[in-house]
């Protein structure tokens, strides 16, 4: 088997290309009038609870699910609980 064809092969230049992953914690559907009234300190309820899983996307493709955690340094992070099979590409 040719190692260059394997996605994680050392010679594959695409493994060094950074990508942006978007983490979705929920959605809000306010009325336009409520949106126009928003100001600092306004609370916008989402369609999920704090303990619900978050979704990870590359573009519009769902790639994983996980839970929000706080690292030792106080940074927000995601612990993956489910990873979508990406063998057929994004």
């Amino acid at each position: 088997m040719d190692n260059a064809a394997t996605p994680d092969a050392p010679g594959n230049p695409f493994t060094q290309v950074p990508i942006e992953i978007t983490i979705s914690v929920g959605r809000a559907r306010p009325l336009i009038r409520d949106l126009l009234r928003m100001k600092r300190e306004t609370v916008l309820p989402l369609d999920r609870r704090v303990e619900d899983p978050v979704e990870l996307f590359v573009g519009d493709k769902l790639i994983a699910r996980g839970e929000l955690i706080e690292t030792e340094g106080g940074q927000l992070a995601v612990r993956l609980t489910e990873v979508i099979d990406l063998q057929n590409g994004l």
Side-chain angles (χ1 to χ4, degrees):
M1 179 173 178
D2 180 14
N3 275 349
T6 306
D8 58 352
N12 187 336
F14 293 108
T15 61
Q16 299 300 312
V17 176
I19 62 168
E20 183 172 298
I21 296 176
T22 301
I23 313 299
S24 175
V25 297
R27 298 188 190 281
R29 296 185 62 89
L31 298 174
I32 292 177
R33 73 168 177 249
D34 297 331
L35 184 66
L36 295 172
R37 293 178 184 156
M38 283 186 187
K39 58 183 181 247
R40 189 170 188 212
E41 304 292 327
T42 297
V43 175
L44 185 63
L46 301 177
D47 63 350
R48 294 194 183 163
R49 298 165 40 103
V50 170
E51 63 272 5
D52 287 347
V54 297
E55 297 175 324
L56 289 75
F57 292 89
V58 172
D60 62 352
K61 176 76 172 181
L62 177 67
I63 61 162
R65 289 187 178 87
E67 57 189 17
L68 292 177
I69 62 168
E70 184 178 353
T71 65
E72 288 181 23
Q75 187 172 6
L76 195 57
V78 177
R79 176 181 292 125
L80 299 183
T81 58
E82 178 185 354
V83 178
I84 308 303
D85 180 11
L86 298 175
Q87 292 302 313
N88 295 324
L90 291 174

